[in-house]
Amino acid sequence: LLINLKFSVGEYILTISKKLFFLSIKKITLTINEVILLKELIQNFKEVVSAVIPIAILILLIGLTIVPFSGEMIFSLIVGCIFMIFGMTLFLFGANISMMPVGKAVGNYVVQKRSLPILVFVGFIVGVVITIAEPDVQVLANQVASVSNGEVSKTVLIAAVSIGVGIFVVIGFLR
């Protein structure tokens, strides 16, 4: 089912891109699934723009008033923001059409089993794995290891934080 879903989503994206960018058709007709995917892509774009633009404006204002930026720096900021908007939009779109359905399926399965041990175990594992994969935790671990001159191991810190998050997820489930 998941393999078929991935191929069908890929086919829809390819079809939409052909219809929108490569073919010169006077009237573009989209299927219902293509419209749904296009609406989701547009919604992701709006969310990313609303998150990035205010920060970019603030940085630009600081660059124009307090800390003077060169023209090259301002150009780099604008180009970087454009790349960031499109990259984050595609990332969120990909996550929404690939990972979210899998997460919902796993969540539905665990809840339907009505088994507290399975729920607690899955919650703990998900909490640990997601924390290990979190880039901010990796950055924090690198900084702590650097500041402590290796006294605090990156691996130990990541393991401690991940297990702690897993335990708190379990406590949340048990509540």
Side-chain angles (χ1 to χ4, degrees):
L1 176 67
L2 292 176
I3 293 171
N4 290 339
L5 177 66
K6 285 183 181 178
F7 285 123
S8 63
V9 168
E11 289 170 8
Y12 286 133
I13 293 171
L14 183 62
T15 303
I16 290 171
S17 62
K18 281 182 181 177
K19 289 180 179 178
L20 294 178
F21 300 111
F22 299 121
L23 299 177
S24 57
I25 300 174
K26 290 182 182 176
K27 183 178 178 184
I28 296 175
T29 57
L30 298 173
T31 66
I32 292 173
N33 290 333
E34 292 169 344
V35 170
I36 291 169
L37 287 174
L38 191 57
K39 283 183 178 181
E40 188 165 344
L41 182 64
I42 291 168
Q43 180 61 33
N44 289 338
F45 180 77
K46 289 177 183 177
E47 290 172 7
V48 170
V49 166
S50 69
V52 171
I53 294 298
I55 296 169
I57 290 172
L58 179 64
I59 293 171
L60 193 58
L61 287 174
I62 290 171
L64 294 173
T65 57
I66 300 171
V67 181
F69 290 166
S70 66
E72 184 180 316
M73 253 181 150
I74 292 173
F75 178 75
S76 293
L77 173 70
I78 293 169
V79 170
C81 286
I82 291 169
F83 284 148
M84 191 167 41
I85 288 170
F86 284 109
M88 288 173 67
T89 298
L90 291 174
F91 172 79
L92 287 174
F93 181 69
N96 287 338
I97 65 173
S98 65
M99 290 185 248
M100 294 300 283
V102 171
K104 286 179 182 177
V106 169
N108 286 337
Y109 175 80
V110 170
V111 170
Q112 286 175 353
K113 280 294 190 182
R114 296 196 183 276
S115 170
L116 186 60
I118 291 175
L119 180 67
V120 167
F121 176 74
V122 170
F124 178 77
I125 295 300
V126 168
V128 169
V129 170
I130 287 176
T131 304
I132 290 171
E134 175 60 41
D136 292 335
V137 174
Q138 301 289 332
V139 170
L140 175 67
N142 284 331
Q143 290 177 343
V144 169
S146 173
V147 170
S148 69
N149 292 325
E151 291 291 321
V152 178
S153 165
K154 175 183 170 184
T155 306
V156 170
L157 182 65
I158 291 172
V161 171
S162 300
I163 291 170
V165 169
I167 289 170
F168 279 103
V169 168
V170 167
I171 291 169
F173 280 171
L174 292 175
R175 268 187 66 213

